[in-house]
Amino acid sequence: MSFVNTETIRETIEDVGFQATLVEDETNEKSTNVCRIQIKGMTCTSCSTTVESALEALPGVQNALAALATKEAEILYNTKVVSYNQLIEAVDDSGFKAILTNLNGPRDLIKVIESIESRCFKAMFFPEGGGRESHRKEKIKQYYRSFLWSTVFTIPVFLTSMVFMCIPGLKHVMDNKVVNMLTVEELIRWTLATPVQFVIGRQFYVGSYNALRHGSATLDVLIVLGTNAAYFCSVYSVSRATTSRYFKSTDFFETSSMLISFILLGKYLEVLAKGKTSVAIAKLMELSPEASILLTLDKEQNLIGEEEIDSRLIQQNDRIKIIPVVKVASDGYAIWGQSHVNESMITGEARPVAKRKGDTVIGGTVNENGVLHIKATHVGSEGALSQMVRLVESAQMANAPVQQFADRISKFFVPLVIILSFSTCLAGTFHGYPKSWIPSSMDSFKLALQFGISVMVNCIVFDKTGTLTTGKPVVVNTWPSPLLGMPRNAEKMKGILPD
């Protein structure tokens, strides 16, 4: 088989009478890249949609996919148009915290830090044990503590509101007045519901503030609106009872407290479930060795020393020593020695493969019997093992068509609920509802009573000449009649007594 090169094509074009000039294709250079960003603050699908929209709005970003399950975003972008910093700034500007997870070559930075100020600083790769796993465990602890404290305050609120009122002895104690019409049970509920609303529920206020500041409405906004409505309506009612001798208050402190508690329970169960989805990724990451032996060479490429370092600190072109029964630290090729390497992780074949100078090796495979010196060529996210992890994560990020449709709907769900809520409030305040909504057989007052709506009445006028009745006759008293013992008289008086 013969191949045609560019010079032959140019000469052929000139032979037919045209001028041809070879133009170097600048796209041969790697101009597109895929990076992964860890995002903090995403709580719902509306958040992930906001992040995707902010990233895709940048020039040079070809595709952006934010996954709520992994709290990460995968971006395909043109390195000649947009940079890492611009991607992170776009996420930060949308109200979330972005951390670039693709870090290559941090060892030089650590050396610089340790060398300043007479070597009084100590630097290390943090966090130990993997950032994703440690962050997940911290999230689990955070939601567990929040839910636990919320439950401690919410259970007494629920008992005073729903249970103690049914126990005669406790009901009498709870109904005692503290100030004017303010009762003991109302004061207890007010005191216990306040820390749940503002201390334990502070994370919802922060999330809703960040969302509204950047023009998006997330689940946190709905939570804050719902709980605040119940809490502040209760505060108004209880405050009025405190200053009045006749006003009987009705509070909803248990609504706001229990709502926050149930949401925290859901979030706690959610982070637990998300941890199970990362089991496959954790098993793949375990294939990489924790430590490696770094070889130090002089200018003439002579070996002058060895140093054990964290495998995550390996940089491109490093010389690594692989001893027997140890995993290969990174992708590269052998520069000295010979051995057999078990590559079943990649090929599925358990038979070791012979390796000698010039042969390629794959990170995560196991060196069997000999000693090898390798030169690292693909480290960090460029390694074969990292690409396998990326494929698994990409599979977790991918959404089914039904999920994609649900995500598009959820983008408009929160704003729609807010608009309908305020519209209903305004309609009820200013009587803005169509008259055709009221059945012809009843007026507005009767319609309100049908739905149990409280109606403020200033004056009631009764146009009644006699006593007011319910329209249903009731027997209130009985007495014996002399006619019952005199059937004969009753027969005679039949024409006299009215029917």
Side-chain angles (χ1 to χ4, degrees), residues 155-175 184-185 188-189 192:
I155 289 179
V157 174
F158 171 77
L159 293 177
T160 56
S161 178
M162 303 292 181
V163 179
F164 290 169
M165 60 183 298
C166 301
I167 303 176
L170 290 176
K171 177 177 174 56
H172 177 71
V173 175
M174 292 297 170
D175 287 340
V184 174
E185 62 177 357
I188 293 176
R189 288 196 291 268
L192 296 178

Side-chain angles (χ1 to χ4, degrees), residues 457-475:
V457 180
N458 296 325
C459 180
I460 302 178
V461 178
F462 296 99
D463 184 12
K464 189 76 173 179
T465 57
T467 58
L468 295 177
T469 65
T470 61
K472 297 180 181 179
V474 179
V475 177

